[in-house]
Amino acid sequence: MERKVIWVTGANGQLGAEIRTLSQRADIAPGETFFFTDKETLDITNAQAVADFIKNNQITVIINCAAYTAVDAAESDQDMAYQINQKAVATLARLAKENRLQLIHLSTDYVFDGTGFMPYRESDPTNPQGIYAHSKWSGEEEIRRIRPPGACIIRTSWVYSAEGKNFVQTMMRLGRKRERLSVVDDQIGTPTYTGDLAGAILQIVQQTLADDLPDTVETYHYSNEGVCSWYDFAKAIFELADISCEVDPIPSSAYPTPAKRPHFSVLNKRKIKENYGLEIPYWRDSLKHCLATL
Ligand SMILES: NC(=O)c1ccc[n+]([C@@H]2O[C@H](COP(=O)([O-])OP(=O)(O)OC[C@H]3O[C@@H](n4cnc5c(N)ncnc54)[C@H](OP(=O)(O)O)[C@@H]3O)[C@@H](O)[C@H]2O)c1
């Protein structure tokens, strides 16, 4: 069987940490060798260090979980957002092409402006709003321009995990302290549990033959199944975690943020499900599963 040497960047982040956990399970990643790095061990904006790392460790797959993800901070920290989300991604894409290794890169539902009303397909026109969204879209464009063989861009949305900074953790913390909370109900999307996304990524890696990579770059959409608002999400967290905090629905206009968010960013996942035979859990079931692990 083909042996893969997989490098996961951003390994201390939500998704990277989940891939690390899953990589230790023999049924999910049998016989693969993994390397995990984060900003302190290997800054992906350091092109020479990245090239040396790939060469010295004979990497065959890169899963790029590293990113500048502070959506609001990016508005006043533009240079850093583009360095990490565009320029470093171009470096990874160039090195992936030169060394014929597979690049799996994560992107965001925020590449869409949210004026649609049907789940977005991969081929739908993008129109990123805000610096974070635009820097992530620019990273995608670099991969499409450089065309490393077999590269996958996976757009995901509303990511949460049992650890790390995310909406579920914030709601749990605030819900235990307060009697009422206001949460926006006019942004509609789908949460994504890292346990499901990490499993899907490892399945994609396993199903790809590293010595027979196609000459194409594919974009995919992945989130959990179903649809909700942040208000619905908060209500479900409190219900499933048995927290008696009331939630009041408010419009986004009552909760202004530096970066504009799309009002609708539900992703159509048919392509990834059909191409890789994936079964995606319903968002409430995954939330329940995540809360049970806390
Ligand atoms: N979180 C979401 O809701 C969401 C939604 C849609 C798409 N996505 C995408 O999904 C992917 C994974 O997201 P996530 O939630 O796991 O993000 P995350 O928890 O913020 O993790 C990102 C990791 O990348 C690291 N990093 C930042 N700059 C780096 C650099 N120059 N070199 C190496 N590592 C660096 C960060 O370290 P520091 O923390 O030390 O900076 C962090 O550990 C990202 O591409 C993100 O854009 C996320």
Side-chain angles (χ1 to χ4, degrees):
M1 199 176 67
E2 188 180 47
R3 245 178 89 77
K4 291 188 172 131
V5 183
I6 302 165
W7 171 32
V8 180
T9 69
N12 295 341
Q14 298 195 82
L15 180 61
E18 193 77 55
I19 295 177
R20 190 199 292 262
T21 303
L22 286 191
S23 71
Q24 286 150 7
R25 280 181 43 184
D27 56 326
I28 291 186
E32 322 286 26
T33 302
F34 282 88
F35 288 92
F36 294 93
T37 62
D38 207 281
K39 205 154 63 184
E40 303 76 41
T41 42
L42 180 46
D43 184 335
I44 62 162
T45 63
N46 183 338
Q48 189 57 52
V50 169
D52 292 345
F53 185 85
I54 289 173
K55 189 164 164 240
N56 294 341
N57 296 295
Q58 299 186 324
I59 301 299
T60 63
V61 180
I62 304 172
I63 305 177
N64 184 31
C65 300
Y68 186 107
T69 56
V71 177
D72 290 319
E75 294 298 309
S76 51
D77 194 12
Q78 295 196 13
D79 186 52
M80 191 56 82
Y82 283 102
Q83 288 288 334
I84 298 168
N85 292 346
Q86 178 182 12
K87 210 166 161 225
V89 175
T91 301
L92 293 175
R94 180 178 54 77
L95 290 166
K97 185 171 183 174
E98 281 171 19
N99 295 284
R100 279 201 80 78
L101 35 112
Q102 190 186 23
L103 173 63
I104 297 190
H105 174 72
L106 276 299
S107 190
T108 173
D109 55 330
Y110 284 11
V111 297
F112 298 111
D113 61 16
T115 53
F117 50 87
M118 290 288 281
Y120 283 105
R121 289 167 309 174
E122 291 79 356
S123 53
D124 284 335
T126 52
N127 184 21
Q129 308 285 302
I131 301 300
Y132 165 77
H134 193 269
S135 67
K136 291 294 293 183
W137 173 82
S138 304
E140 290 189 4
E141 286 289 285
E142 295 288 3
I143 298 174
R144 285 188 277 268
R145 179 178 65 80
I146 296 167
R147 279 169 62 105
C152 291
I153 298 165
I154 303 176
R155 295 183 185 137
T156 185
S157 62
W158 300 21
V159 176
Y160 69 94
S161 63
E163 285 166 38
K165 259 170 60 181
N166 59 59
F167 185 76
V168 175
Q169 299 292 341
T170 305
M171 287 299 115
M172 298 279 285
R173 182 168 45 80
L174 295 178
R176 288 196 174 112
K177 281 200 294 215
R178 300 204 200 151
E179 283 176 11
R180 296 196 91 84
L181 278 178
S182 299
V183 180
V184 298
D185 70 346
D186 59 357
Q187 289 172 33
I188 310 294
T190 315
T192 305
Y193 174 44
T194 50
D196 299 325
L197 176 56
I201 291 170
L202 292 178
Q203 220 172 305
I204 290 170
V205 170
Q206 284 207 323
Q207 288 183 33
T208 309
L209 289 174
D211 53 9
D212 190 22
L213 294 172
D215 272 330
T216 49
V217 170
E218 292 291 346
T219 304
Y220 293 103
H221 287 172
Y222 187 99
S223 68
N224 279 117
E225 294 285 14
V227 175
C228 67
S229 67
W230 290 107
Y231 165 80
D232 297 317
F233 195 13
K235 291 280 284 183
I237 294 164
F238 294 150
E239 185 194 317
L240 295 171
D242 215 7
I243 293 174
S244 60
C245 179
E246 294 295 324
V247 189
D248 297 314
I250 53 164
S252 301
S253 56
Y255 186 74
T257 51
K260 201 173 159 196
R261 269 95 169 148
H263 282 289
F264 179 89
S265 64
V266 179
L267 300 173
N268 179 321
K269 299 165 287 285
R270 181 167 300 156
K271 181 176 168 186
I272 201 165
K273 287 195 285 188
E274 287 182 358
N275 280 19
Y276 293 102
L278 297 180
E279 281 187 25
I280 304 182
Y282 175 53
W283 70 269
R284 266 185 77 103
D285 294 338
S286 290
L287 175 61
K288 199 170 171 182
H289 177 80
C290 174
L291 292 174
T293 68
L294 292 180

